[in-house]
Amino acid sequence: MGKLEGKIALVTGGNSGIGLATAKRFASEGAHVFITGRRDGELAAAVNEIGKNVTGVQGDVAKLGDLDRLFSQIKREMGRLDVVFANAGTAKYASLGEITEELYDSIFDINVKGLLFTVQKALPLLPDGASIILNASIVASKGLPSWSVYSASKAAVRSFARTWTTDLKHRRIRVNAISPGFIDTPGLRELLTSTETDQKARAMVKSMPSRQVTATQTPRPAFLKIHITR
């Protein structure tokens, strides 16, 4: 039996990168995994790649109606959730003086508002002793040029982990945040090739340690040690 045999898990943004690698690992450990993604084609491909114990639900975490539809389906089909990995996120960068309201809203709507309401709307489905994992980032504690808005959004995620731990301690629900470094994922590659002005950012990232996320090699975060109460 796997470590998560019989458990129900949710991975938002589970259609690629860290989310997909995590969903594969959860499924291989015996959990039934719900994954979300904004694009139908990528979501269907991820479901096919995981192969078993998986349900794909199209939706955008920044849209509360999509979250309501997601949790209604989970409640209808499974009745509960044991693990929530709030992973969905986006990254864009701009130097101070060039930050637009559109850029700010696009990052905070997904990374902060979307994550917050993912967790809050999941609470009625979580039994006592469940596990919540939040995907933060190493940039939350590093002052990298042009990454101020993204870094601030991930600092908010780390703050959520600290405060929600106290909010939920009476239910023994664990809240952990992981802070990966730069990992070679489709999202990062797309970000670093989006414009001709990204040369400095590409050089900076290439100078830092990087890891390829695969089905059998996820980053070493708390979600591999969640010790769910049976």
Side-chain angles (χ1 to χ4, degrees), residues 106-127:
S106 67
I107 293 175
F108 268 74
D109 279 355
I110 294 175
N111 294 3
V112 181
K113 186 183 82 172
L115 180 141
L116 186 160
F117 285 102
T118 293
V119 173
Q120 182 165 282
K121 289 177 180 292
L123 288 178
L125 295 176
L126 294 175

mmCIF file of all heavy atoms in Angstrom, residues 106-127:
data_model
loop_
_atom_site.group_PDB
_atom_site.id
_atom_site.type_symbol
_atom_site.label_atom_id
_atom_site.label_comp_id
_atom_site.label_asym_id
_atom_site.label_seq_id
_atom_site.Cartn_x
_atom_site.Cartn_y
_atom_site.Cartn_z
ATOM 1 N N SER A 106 -2.692 40.720 -12.290
ATOM 2 C CA SER A 106 -2.583 39.369 -12.847
ATOM 3 C C SER A 106 -1.813 38.448 -11.912
ATOM 4 O O SER A 106 -2.129 37.255 -11.811
ATOM 5 C CB SER A 106 -1.907 39.406 -14.217
ATOM 6 O OG SER A 106 -0.543 39.799 -14.118
ATOM 7 N N ILE A 107 -0.814 38.982 -11.204
ATOM 8 C CA ILE A 107 -0.026 38.169 -10.277
ATOM 9 C C ILE A 107 -0.774 37.945 -8.973
ATOM 10 O O ILE A 107 -0.917 36.813 -8.501
ATOM 11 C CB ILE A 107 1.345 38.817 -10.020
ATOM 12 C CG1 ILE A 107 2.190 38.787 -11.293
ATOM 13 C CG2 ILE A 107 2.079 38.115 -8.879
ATOM 14 C CD1 ILE A 107 3.514 39.509 -11.176
ATOM 15 N N PHE A 108 -1.274 39.018 -8.377
ATOM 16 C CA PHE A 108 -1.924 38.877 -7.069
ATOM 17 C C PHE A 108 -3.270 38.161 -7.168
ATOM 18 O O PHE A 108 -3.669 37.472 -6.218
ATOM 19 C CB PHE A 108 -2.067 40.247 -6.400
ATOM 20 C CG PHE A 108 -0.901 40.567 -5.504
ATOM 21 C CD1 PHE A 108 0.327 40.912 -6.047
ATOM 22 C CD2 PHE A 108 -1.019 40.500 -4.132
ATOM 23 C CE1 PHE A 108 1.417 41.197 -5.229
ATOM 24 C CE2 PHE A 108 0.059 40.777 -3.302
ATOM 25 C CZ PHE A 108 1.285 41.129 -3.857
ATOM 26 N N ASP A 109 -3.973 38.287 -8.278
ATOM 27 C CA ASP A 109 -5.252 37.590 -8.415
ATOM 28 C C ASP A 109 -5.068 36.076 -8.359
ATOM 29 O O ASP A 109 -5.910 35.359 -7.800
ATOM 30 C CB ASP A 109 -5.934 37.971 -9.732
ATOM 31 C CG ASP A 109 -6.672 39.294 -9.649
ATOM 32 O OD1 ASP A 109 -6.734 39.878 -8.546
ATOM 33 O OD2 ASP A 109 -7.183 39.739 -10.691
ATOM 34 N N ILE A 110 -3.994 35.572 -8.943
ATOM 35 C CA ILE A 110 -3.752 34.125 -8.953
ATOM 36 C C ILE A 110 -2.966 33.689 -7.720
ATOM 37 O O ILE A 110 -3.384 32.797 -6.980
ATOM 38 C CB ILE A 110 -3.016 33.708 -10.239
ATOM 39 C CG1 ILE A 110 -3.902 33.932 -11.454
ATOM 40 C CG2 ILE A 110 -2.582 32.234 -10.160
ATOM 41 C CD1 ILE A 110 -3.226 33.657 -12.786
ATOM 42 N N ASN A 111 -1.821 34.334 -7.468
ATOM 43 C CA ASN A 111 -0.901 33.859 -6.439
ATOM 44 C C ASN A 111 -1.391 34.102 -5.022
ATOM 45 O O ASN A 111 -1.020 33.359 -4.110
ATOM 46 C CB ASN A 111 0.463 34.524 -6.610
ATOM 47 C CG ASN A 111 1.164 34.127 -7.891
ATOM 48 O OD1 ASN A 111 0.628 33.388 -8.705
ATOM 49 N ND2 ASN A 111 2.371 34.625 -8.083
ATOM 50 N N VAL A 112 -2.186 35.157 -4.834
ATOM 51 C CA VAL A 112 -2.629 35.494 -3.478
ATOM 52 C C VAL A 112 -4.132 35.256 -3.323
ATOM 53 O O VAL A 112 -4.564 34.432 -2.521
ATOM 54 C CB VAL A 112 -2.261 36.947 -3.121
ATOM 55 C CG1 VAL A 112 -2.711 37.277 -1.701
ATOM 56 C CG2 VAL A 112 -0.751 37.157 -3.242
ATOM 57 N N LYS A 113 -4.947 35.970 -4.096
ATOM 58 C CA LYS A 113 -6.399 35.776 -3.974
ATOM 59 C C LYS A 113 -6.798 34.347 -4.320
ATOM 60 O O LYS A 113 -7.572 33.708 -3.588
ATOM 61 C CB LYS A 113 -7.149 36.746 -4.891
ATOM 62 C CG LYS A 113 -8.666 36.690 -4.706
ATOM 63 C CD LYS A 113 -9.400 37.592 -5.674
ATOM 64 C CE LYS A 113 -9.567 36.932 -7.035
ATOM 65 N NZ LYS A 113 -10.460 37.726 -7.925
ATOM 66 N N GLY A 114 -6.292 33.825 -5.420
ATOM 67 C CA GLY A 114 -6.655 32.471 -5.828
ATOM 68 C C GLY A 114 -6.248 31.435 -4.808
ATOM 69 O O GLY A 114 -7.007 30.504 -4.501
ATOM 70 N N LEU A 115 -5.042 31.580 -4.256
ATOM 71 C CA LEU A 115 -4.580 30.620 -3.245
ATOM 72 C C LEU A 115 -5.402 30.721 -1.977
ATOM 73 O O LEU A 115 -5.820 29.716 -1.405
ATOM 74 C CB LEU A 115 -3.102 30.877 -2.967
ATOM 75 C CG LEU A 115 -2.431 29.965 -1.938
ATOM 76 C CD1 LEU A 115 -1.010 29.606 -2.384
ATOM 77 C CD2 LEU A 115 -2.375 30.650 -0.564
ATOM 78 N N LEU A 116 -5.671 31.950 -1.537
ATOM 79 C CA LEU A 116 -6.455 32.143 -0.320
ATOM 80 C C LEU A 116 -7.824 31.477 -0.438
ATOM 81 O O LEU A 116 -8.245 30.715 0.449
ATOM 82 C CB LEU A 116 -6.606 33.640 -0.044
ATOM 83 C CG LEU A 116 -7.274 34.083 1.264
ATOM 84 C CD1 LEU A 116 -6.898 35.519 1.568
ATOM 85 C CD2 LEU A 116 -8.802 33.968 1.220
ATOM 86 N N PHE A 117 -8.543 31.751 -1.519
ATOM 87 C CA PHE A 117 -9.897 31.214 -1.633
ATOM 88 C C PHE A 117 -9.905 29.731 -1.991
ATOM 89 O O PHE A 117 -10.881 29.035 -1.682
ATOM 90 C CB PHE A 117 -10.710 32.050 -2.617
ATOM 91 C CG PHE A 117 -11.121 33.370 -2.034
ATOM 92 C CD1 PHE A 117 -10.460 34.544 -2.370
ATOM 93 C CD2 PHE A 117 -12.150 33.438 -1.101
ATOM 94 C CE1 PHE A 117 -10.821 35.756 -1.803
ATOM 95 C CE2 PHE A 117 -12.525 34.645 -0.531
ATOM 96 C CZ PHE A 117 -11.857 35.808 -0.877
ATOM 97 N N THR A 118 -8.832 29.232 -2.595
ATOM 98 C CA THR A 118 -8.717 27.777 -2.770
ATOM 99 C C THR A 118 -8.746 27.097 -1.412
ATOM 100 O O THR A 118 -9.496 26.136 -1.186
ATOM 101 C CB THR A 118 -7.416 27.420 -3.505
ATOM 102 O OG1 THR A 118 -7.483 27.896 -4.854
ATOM 103 C CG2 THR A 118 -7.201 25.914 -3.522
ATOM 104 N N VAL A 119 -7.936 27.586 -0.493
ATOM 105 C CA VAL A 119 -7.860 26.984 0.838
ATOM 106 C C VAL A 119 -9.151 27.209 1.615
ATOM 107 O O VAL A 119 -9.699 26.280 2.230
ATOM 108 C CB VAL A 119 -6.647 27.531 1.609
ATOM 109 C CG1 VAL A 119 -6.658 27.050 3.057
ATOM 110 C CG2 VAL A 119 -5.342 27.110 0.923
ATOM 111 N N GLN A 120 -9.655 28.421 1.601
ATOM 112 C CA GLN A 120 -10.853 28.717 2.388
ATOM 113 C C GLN A 120 -12.051 27.904 1.923
ATOM 114 O O GLN A 120 -12.830 27.381 2.740
ATOM 115 C CB GLN A 120 -11.163 30.211 2.316
ATOM 116 C CG GLN A 120 -12.372 30.621 3.140
ATOM 117 C CD GLN A 120 -12.436 32.113 3.356
ATOM 118 O OE1 GLN A 120 -11.738 32.667 4.193
ATOM 119 N NE2 GLN A 120 -13.300 32.787 2.592
ATOM 120 N N LYS A 121 -12.222 27.773 0.610
ATOM 121 C CA LYS A 121 -13.357 27.024 0.097
ATOM 122 C C LYS A 121 -13.180 25.513 0.269
ATOM 123 O O LYS A 121 -14.160 24.759 0.224
ATOM 124 C CB LYS A 121 -13.591 27.376 -1.378
ATOM 125 C CG LYS A 121 -14.151 28.785 -1.572
ATOM 126 C CD LYS A 121 -14.308 29.134 -3.041
ATOM 127 C CE LYS A 121 -14.868 30.536 -3.227
ATOM 128 N NZ LYS A 121 -16.279 30.658 -2.775
ATOM 129 N N ALA A 122 -11.926 25.076 0.480
ATOM 130 C CA ALA A 122 -11.684 23.653 0.718
ATOM 131 C C ALA A 122 -11.993 23.246 2.151
ATOM 132 O O ALA A 122 -12.238 22.059 2.429
ATOM 133 C CB ALA A 122 -10.224 23.309 0.393
ATOM 134 N N LEU A 123 -11.982 24.193 3.073
ATOM 135 C CA LEU A 123 -12.078 23.857 4.499
ATOM 136 C C LEU A 123 -13.270 22.977 4.857
ATOM 137 O O LEU A 123 -13.127 22.039 5.666
ATOM 138 C CB LEU A 123 -12.102 25.140 5.340
ATOM 139 C CG LEU A 123 -10.784 25.915 5.432
ATOM 140 C CD1 LEU A 123 -10.984 27.179 6.264
ATOM 141 C CD2 LEU A 123 -9.684 25.046 6.033
ATOM 142 N N PRO A 124 -14.487 23.221 4.323
ATOM 143 C CA PRO A 124 -15.606 22.357 4.708
ATOM 144 C C PRO A 124 -15.422 20.893 4.313
ATOM 145 O O PRO A 124 -16.081 20.016 4.888
ATOM 146 C CB PRO A 124 -16.798 22.984 3.948
ATOM 147 C CG PRO A 124 -16.402 24.405 3.727
ATOM 148 C CD PRO A 124 -14.929 24.354 3.480
ATOM 149 N N LEU A 125 -14.548 20.637 3.360
ATOM 150 C CA LEU A 125 -14.319 19.254 2.913
ATOM 151 C C LEU A 125 -13.156 18.589 3.634
ATOM 152 O O LEU A 125 -12.943 17.379 3.463
ATOM 153 C CB LEU A 125 -14.051 19.230 1.404
ATOM 154 C CG LEU A 125 -15.201 19.652 0.492
ATOM 155 C CD1 LEU A 125 -14.748 19.658 -0.962
ATOM 156 C CD2 LEU A 125 -16.389 18.715 0.669
ATOM 157 N N LEU A 126 -12.399 19.351 4.418
ATOM 158 C CA LEU A 126 -11.205 18.811 5.066
ATOM 159 C C LEU A 126 -11.544 18.247 6.443
ATOM 160 O O LEU A 126 -12.056 18.970 7.302
ATOM 161 C CB LEU A 126 -10.144 19.897 5.215
ATOM 162 C CG LEU A 126 -9.529 20.446 3.929
ATOM 163 C CD1 LEU A 126 -8.591 21.602 4.252
ATOM 164 C CD2 LEU A 126 -8.789 19.363 3.169
ATOM 165 N N PRO A 127 -11.240 16.977 6.692
ATOM 166 C CA PRO A 127 -11.430 16.440 8.032
ATOM 167 C C PRO A 127 -10.333 16.928 8.968
ATOM 168 O O PRO A 127 -9.294 17.417 8.526
ATOM 169 C CB PRO A 127 -11.323 14.925 7.807
ATOM 170 C CG PRO A 127 -10.405 14.791 6.629
ATOM 171 C CD PRO A 127 -10.711 15.976 5.744
#
